[in-house]
Each structure stands twice: as C-alpha cells, then as structure tokens.
Amino acid sequence: MPKHVSRRARAKAPTAATLVMRSGIVGLMVTCGIAVVDLAIPDPANAQSPATQAPGTKPDTAAVQGSAAQGNATATASKQEPVLLTADQVTFDEVNSVVTASGNVELAQGKRSVRADKITYNQKTKVVTATGKIRLVEPSGDIIFADYAELTDNLKDVFIENIRVLMTDNGRMAGNEGERREGRLTRVNRGVYSPCDLCKEDPTRPPLWQIRAVRIVHDNEEHEVRYKDATMEIFGIPVAYTPYLSHPDPSVDRKSGFLTPSFGNNSNLGAILKTHYYWDIAPDQDATFDLHYYSQQGPLLGGQYRKRFESGRLELEGAITRGDVANTTIVPKETRTRGYVAARGLFDIDETWRAGFDVKRASDPTFLRRYYDFREDYLTSKAYVEGFRGRNYAAITGYSFQDMRYGNSVPEPVALPYAQYNALGEPGSLLGGRWSFDTSLLAVSRFKNAGPDTQRFMAQPGWERNIVSNAGFVTTLSGSVLVAGYTAQQFNTADPTTRGNDNISRFRFFPQGQATVRYPFVRYGESSSQLVEPIGQLTFAPKLPNGRVFPNEDSLDVEFDDVNLLQPNRFTGIDRLDDGMRFTYGLRTAIYGNSQGSASLFLGQSIRLTDSNVGFTGDSGLEERVSDYVGRLDLQPADWLDVNYGFRVDHETFRPRRHSLNATAGVPLLRLSTSYTYVDQTTARNAVTRNRVEQASFGVSSQFTDYWSLGVSHTQAMEPQPGPRSSLAVLSYSDECLVFQTIARRDYTVSTTGEKDGNTIFFRLVFKNVGEFKSPGINASFLGGGSANQ
C-alpha cells in the first residue's frame, strides 16, 4: 500500500524510502518541463518528512524546493532558476515506483508553469501523467488547456486529449487530441482555429469565422502554423476549401511568402488580379514583389525594397507596364511603356549633420491616378544635407517638380541650390530680448523658354522682446533688416513670370519694425473662464521705390486672412514686401470650460497710413488703404459639435469675399459633417459678373450597432462650373476578428484627355491573424503607402 504522510511530521534522519520518494519528486519536476540539474538532498534537520494525514483533516500544502548541490555541482545548478512544486498531497508507491501529487498541483520555474488536479510520475516508464483541469503556461505566453496529458521525461514528446490553446494574439485552437514531437512540432488532429470571441449567451455556437482542418501543425522553430485539408467556415457554414494553408504564429513580425491576392474589375482596366510576394531578406532589409494583371491592359510589374543601416535607411519603389495613354479627346489612344520610380533615404553623417533624398517620377500624369488612385497635383523630388546644433539650423537642398495636372504643358522649374542658415539667440540675450539671423541662397532655372532664370541671396537679422507692464499690458517689440541681391537672365520687366530679353541685377535694403500691444481681460468662473483681448499693432517700414521690378519666385499669390493679418509681411515670401506704415487692430474673445468645451472668435482689420507701391491685386483684400475684415470662429462646446469657420468680408459693401467652413455635429449613432469653400476672385468691387469659386461637401455617418457603421458623402460644385464632383458610400462591419467593407464611389470629373473614373464598387475583407482580401483601389501604394503584410 502506498504511504501517505504529512509535511508537519517531526524531522528524522533520511531513510532509503525517503531518498527514493525525493528522487521521484525531482523526476516529476523534471518531466514537467522544469530543468533541474544536480539537486541535492536538503539537510535532514530542516527537511519536512511526510506523515499520515489525520482523518477528516484538511490537507496542507506541501512545498518542495530544490537546492543547489555543493562542490562541483554548484556552478551548474546556480545557472538554473528556482523550482517550486506545491500540492495538497504528495504520496509515493514504493512497490510500483510511482510518485503522485494531487490537489491544486503546480510546478513552476521562471515563466513556465503547469497546473493540474493530479500529476503522477512512473519511474520505471519515465512517463508523467496529468489529469483534471490541466493548464500549461509557456514562456511565449501561450496557454494550453486539457483534461488528460502524457509527457516523456524530457518533455520533447507530449500527448494531450481534448486540447485547447489560447495564443498570445487572442487566437484560439482546439482539437480532439494533440501531440508535440521533439519539442518543436505541436500537432492538433481534427482541430479548429479562430481569433473570434465565443457567444456569451451560447458558447456552443460556432464563432463568426473559423478554420477547420484535419490536421493543424504549429512549428516552433519555423514559427509557422500549417493546415491540412482546411475549410473556412463563416457562422458555421463552409465557404472555402484549400488542401494547404499556412500563416505565421503570433511571435512572428514578418515572414517570406505570398500575400493575400486581390481581385476586381474596372471599366478602363478590365478584370484585375493582383498578387504579392514578401521576401524577408534579413533583419535589416526586406522586399515586396508585385504582379498585377489587367485583362484590357496587360500585366504590371512592381516592387518595393527597404533597408536599414546603422546610420540611416533606404526605400526604393517602382512599377512598369505597357498600356494605353489618351492624348486628347480627338487623337486616339496609343500604347506605350508606362511606370514610375520612387526612392527615399536618410543618413546620419555625424551628431550634427545628416543627408537625405526623396525622389518621385512618373512616365505621364495619368499613370498614378489610373493604377494607384494617386491624385496629387505635383510630384516633388529633393536631395538635401542639413545640420542641427543648439538653436542653429543649416541646409542645402535641391528641388525638382513634376506637374501631374491634365493638359499643363508648362515645364516646372528646378531650384538648385537652395541654401539656408537660421540662428536664434537666448531669451534676454540682447537688450532684454532675443536676436535672430536668417540667410539663404536660391537659384531657379527654367527650361524650354518657360520663364527667367533667377539667383538670389538674402540676409535678415532680427530682434524681438516681450514686455509685461504692471497694468497688464503685453507689448511685443520686433524689428528686422532685409538685405537681398538679385540677378536674372531673360527677364521681362513687364511681367516677371514670363520670359524676356533683359539681364538684370537688383539690390534691396529693407528695414521694418513692429510694436504690438495686447490687453487681456480674464475672468475666472465656477464652470468656465472668459477672455476678452483687444489688440493694436503699428508696423513701420520705408516706402519702396517706383519702377524697380524684382524677380518674383516666392510671392506670386496672397491669401489675406486672420493668420497673416498681424505678420510684418502679408506676402508668402520676400520677393514682394509689404512696405509703408500701417495700423492693425483686432479683438479676440474666448470662453473655456473647466471640464470640457471652448469657443473663440477673432476679428481684425488693417489700415495703411501711407501710400504703397507694392501693388496688391484687386482680389487680395489689401489693394486699398483700408483692408477687408478677416476673422475666425472656433466652436467646440462638447464632443458632439466642432465648428471651424474662417471668413473675409469686403470693408465697404460687406460682401463676402472668402468663406472656409469645416463642421461636424452629432453622436456616433448619427453624425453630420460638411466642408464649404467660397472665394470671390473678382478684381473690381462693383463688377456685375463675378469670378467666384464655390464648392461644398456633405457627409452623414452612423455607428448604428457595435459592429456596423454606414457613411455617405457627396461633393458638389456651384461655381464656376456647377455640377457634382464625387459621391462615396461605405458600409463597414468590424469586430475583434473580422473587418468587412463595401465601398461604392462615383467620380464625375473628366480630364482634358478624356479620362473618366466613372463608377467603382469594391470590397474589403480582413480575417484577423490570417490575411486580407481586398479589391484594388482602396489605398495608393506610393513609397511606403502600401503594406507588406496586408
């Protein structure tokens, strides 16, 4: 009969039976996956020897902990983490050489632990058997549940009945039986896998989707999950079958292999098939190869390459195909080679300097729009070297542009070089204020008689100081001196934007100063704070001479609004300057909630005190001595409302000259949004025919359940060419394991070459942890815009 003893028994000298029992416990710990080497027998004086349990007494917890052996074994054992075995009861069958631990049995070492109702170890067969509510926690974080398990003494071979696995990414795997071989392969027979949560009301119902397979194998070395004879089930209904399927396990960030293909149809391209192969070259580099096939255009080859260096990174991307290009609505389409290339890099030279480049180029303006849904007006390429040190910044950059607008035949200029240096002093370092110094060198070259070639050098020292008086006035004093020199070839004095026959040299000296006074009135209430702040500003500068025309590269347009009302120069650059003396005034008022919500309003105007020779255009709002009124309203009383409204109003007729509105209102169940733009570009104030641009977009969205949402939007142009521009509708379903979208879009625009996007409908289906199916056209893949593991 097996002996049953209590750990509370009086300590006594070890006997042969005690030694055998202890060796069985040690073997039990070893076979349960806890590495123990050269465990020694504890000091008999401190050992807890088992004794017979008194009837009716609640079993106590027995703890057995291995101690490092003395002498030569000490160094080896010290490398192992402490081992702990706890159980309500521990017995040893001397006849059959079986150690049994029962009642809340737990073996633990480091991050690995095993719990079961009962664990037995047979010294003769070297087999460990665990039964009843088994839970194995692996160092990876995976948790295995079972009712019965058999393990060999080295834990390389394991057999489990009714296996359930909870993975670190919340994925679940279950099967009738499972086994692990050589400590590497975990195989589940007749199993299922799903990351979906089970129904709380009825856990026996099938999850939203699951993969059912004859065999599921988890390879711990390859970090891959493989399926044999796999069937995809949605709501318990089989929808797809494949003889083989694999995907990385949760420990893998990236892995070589084919990505999920895409399918679709387009009126211009025909039937579409997109396949992708991801290549994990090394920990510091990878690549993606794309093969797209279009039934009406032929194949397209593309790819991306990414590499990390110790001091930088490099990204390359490109595509090539042979397809149709429409020249005009009259000339028929022609077939030619088309494509694009892109490259981006950034490298650290030392702690101060770094160099980089960002190059984008397409074969024609319509390629990226057709194949990648890329709709920007320009492709900007640049290469640069820049440095940062303290409050100093220096850079040398070269720019090149490609115009992507339809029918624009004017070539874009090249800016090379554009060198700049900016420095900012310590606060209070000069006359109680802060000094600044900005300088730059610019050379602009044009080709094909598109305009003049210009070179410019400028230097502008400045100073600024804030003064707060005891009465509450906040005064800001600032000043600067601009020194600039220009040369230009093929310059046209009548129109600097066109090419002429003159070679000119120009010099400019332009000092300017400002004094801004603010007097904020603040009131603190129980639930909010209020602000009323009048602002007055005086700007003074010499009057520019008449008749001297300078090249104009950075001040071709003026957008007069509340942002630049208080700026010394309302132009965007320095080629045109805001001269003379003027007075600017404004009023800012705001209310801020202590817990949430805010509202603010600004209104201002400027008055020119002297005549100006700058020559603001008639639609700028600055062409007369008194400017138009400009202002902005920001309103956000709570999460359900957000309004941003900017405006410019004619100072005489109060006719609106510019409106810009962005607003959203509502709750997740029903939310409305709008965006409105209005610009009156009429140069004459009393003109009967107005030159106006007006466009608005409207949208409504609803998160009508926890998982379903619907969004609809439409863009409409009112002037100068009334009509719809685009419409979009998106129906989405999203939960913890599945994302499904149906997207319908209609584009009403027609290019000068006759290109039409027309109607498009496509679908997106994402199975969490497994893969994604989507039809083309959802995301533009342009230099990192796509995903390598979609």
Side-chain angles (χ1 to χ4, degrees), residues 181-196:
R181 295 183 177 180
E182 301 177 356
R184 170 189 173 186
L185 300 176
T186 301
R187 185 174 67 182
V188 177
N189 295 325
R190 299 188 179 280
V192 295
Y193 168 82
S194 176
C196 303

Side-chain angles (χ1 to χ4, degrees), residues 231-410:
T231 302
M232 170 67 73
E233 296 182 355
I234 299 180
F235 296 111
I237 302 174
V239 296
Y241 167 81
T242 178
Y244 177 82
L245 177 67
S246 69
H247 63 82
D249 69 13
S251 65
V252 176
D253 293 327
R254 59 186 196 179
K255 186 177 180 63
S256 299
F258 284 97
L259 304 179
T260 308
S262 302
F263 308 90
N265 186 80
N266 182 275
S267 58
N268 293 326
L269 302 174
I272 303 172
L273 170 64
K274 292 187 176 183
T275 58
H276 316 274
Y277 183 82
Y278 177 74
W279 183 18
D280 183 13
I281 304 173
D284 61 342
Q285 57 182 320
D286 60 7
T288 305
F289 302 96
D290 303 327
L291 174 60
H292 304 176
Y293 179 77
Y294 306 93
S295 61
Q296 296 183 10
Q297 294 293 318
L300 179 145
L301 300 176
Q304 305 86 35
Y305 173 78
R306 294 161 292 270
K307 182 174 177 59
R308 286 276 187 176
F309 302 90
E310 291 185 1
S311 59
R313 64 180 184 268
L314 173 68
E315 299 177 44
L316 305 175
E317 184 171 324
I320 187 171
T321 187
R322 188 163 181 82
D324 294 338
V325 179
N327 291 328
T328 64
T329 56
I330 301 176
V331 178
K333 296 180 180 180
E334 62 173 335
T335 301
R336 65 186 185 194
T337 302
R338 311 177 66 187
Y340 83 99
V341 293
R344 180 168 59 190
L346 182 62
F347 303 92
D348 294 329
I349 301 174
D350 54 30
E351 295 182 354
T352 302
W353 296 94
R354 68 181 184 180
F357 58 88
D358 189 354
V359 179
K360 306 180 185 74
R361 209 72 181 177
S363 59
D364 57 85
T366 63
F367 175 83
L368 291 175
R369 181 185 179 98
R370 168 175 284 194
Y371 291 97
Y372 292 93
D373 197 29
F374 182 85
R375 302 186 179 221
E376 298 295 328
D377 290 338
Y378 294 92
L379 294 181
T380 302
S381 300
K382 66 178 180 178
Y384 57 93
V385 177
E386 60 183 358
F388 305 84
R389 176 173 293 179
R391 293 183 173 89
N392 303 286
Y393 173 76
I396 300 177
T397 311
Y399 288 93
S400 177
F401 307 92
Q402 183 180 7
D403 197 332
M404 306 300 290
R405 295 173 295 182
Y406 298 120
N408 186 10
S409 59
V410 179

Side-chain angles (χ1 to χ4, degrees), residues 61-285:
T61 300
V64 181
Q65 181 170 354
S67 301
Q70 302 295 324
N72 296 332
T74 302
T76 305
S78 63
K79 299 179 181 179
Q80 305 298 328
E81 296 185 59
V83 179
L84 180 66
L85 166 65
T86 62
D88 292 342
Q89 294 179 350
V90 178
T91 61
F92 176 63
D93 188 342
E94 298 182 21
V95 177
N96 298 315
S97 299
V98 175
V99 180
T100 303
S102 60
N104 299 315
V105 184
E106 180 177 0
L107 285 173
Q109 182 191 36
K111 297 182 179 180
R112 175 181 285 121
S113 65
V114 181
R115 290 186 179 181
D117 291 343
K118 182 178 180 181
I119 295 178
T120 63
Y121 172 61
N122 191 317
Q123 287 185 304
K124 296 181 179 179
T125 61
K126 298 186 181 300
V127 174
V128 176
T129 303
T131 57
K133 297 181 180 179
I134 302 170
R135 190 183 75 173
L136 294 88
V137 180
E138 295 295 320
S140 63
D142 293 347
I143 303 176
I144 301 175
F145 302 91
D147 297 326
Y148 177 84
E150 291 183 0
L151 307 90
T152 58
D153 58 354
N154 57 9
L155 201 61
K156 289 187 177 180
D157 297 328
V158 182
F159 174 80
I160 303 175
E161 289 184 355
N162 296 325
I163 182 173
R164 286 96 61 198
V165 181
L166 178 62
M167 308 179 82
T168 56
D169 60 350
N170 205 37
R172 298 169 178 83
M173 188 165 54
N176 294 339
E177 60 181 23
E179 60 180 336
R180 177 157 57 186
R181 295 183 177 180
E182 301 177 356
R184 170 189 173 186
L185 300 176
T186 301
R187 185 174 67 182
V188 177
N189 295 325
R190 299 188 179 280
V192 295
Y193 168 82
S194 176
C196 303
D197 294 336
L198 297 177
C199 178
K200 295 181 180 180
E201 290 76 12
D202 185 7
T204 62
R205 291 175 55 185
L208 181 60
W209 69 266
Q210 64 183 4
I211 299 177
R212 186 180 298 275
V214 173
R215 180 177 299 168
I216 305 175
V217 178
H218 183 193
D219 192 327
N220 290 325
E221 290 187 4
E222 297 294 332
H223 301 285
E224 185 179 53
V225 181
R226 298 187 289 267
Y227 304 83
K228 179 182 178 182
D229 292 334
T231 302
M232 170 67 73
E233 296 182 355
I234 299 180
F235 296 111
I237 302 174
V239 296
Y241 167 81
T242 178
Y244 177 82
L245 177 67
S246 69
H247 63 82
D249 69 13
S251 65
V252 176
D253 293 327
R254 59 186 196 179
K255 186 177 180 63
S256 299
F258 284 97
L259 304 179
T260 308
S262 302
F263 308 90
N265 186 80
N266 182 275
S267 58
N268 293 326
L269 302 174
I272 303 172
L273 170 64
K274 292 187 176 183
T275 58
H276 316 274
Y277 183 82
Y278 177 74
W279 183 18
D280 183 13
I281 304 173
D284 61 342
Q285 57 182 320

Side-chain angles (χ1 to χ4, degrees), residues 409-413 445-453 496-499:
S409 59
V410 179
E412 296 298 321
S445 301
R446 291 180 172 85
F447 309 98
K448 299 180 180 179
N449 298 323
D453 297 336
T497 61
T498 62
R499 196 174 186 90

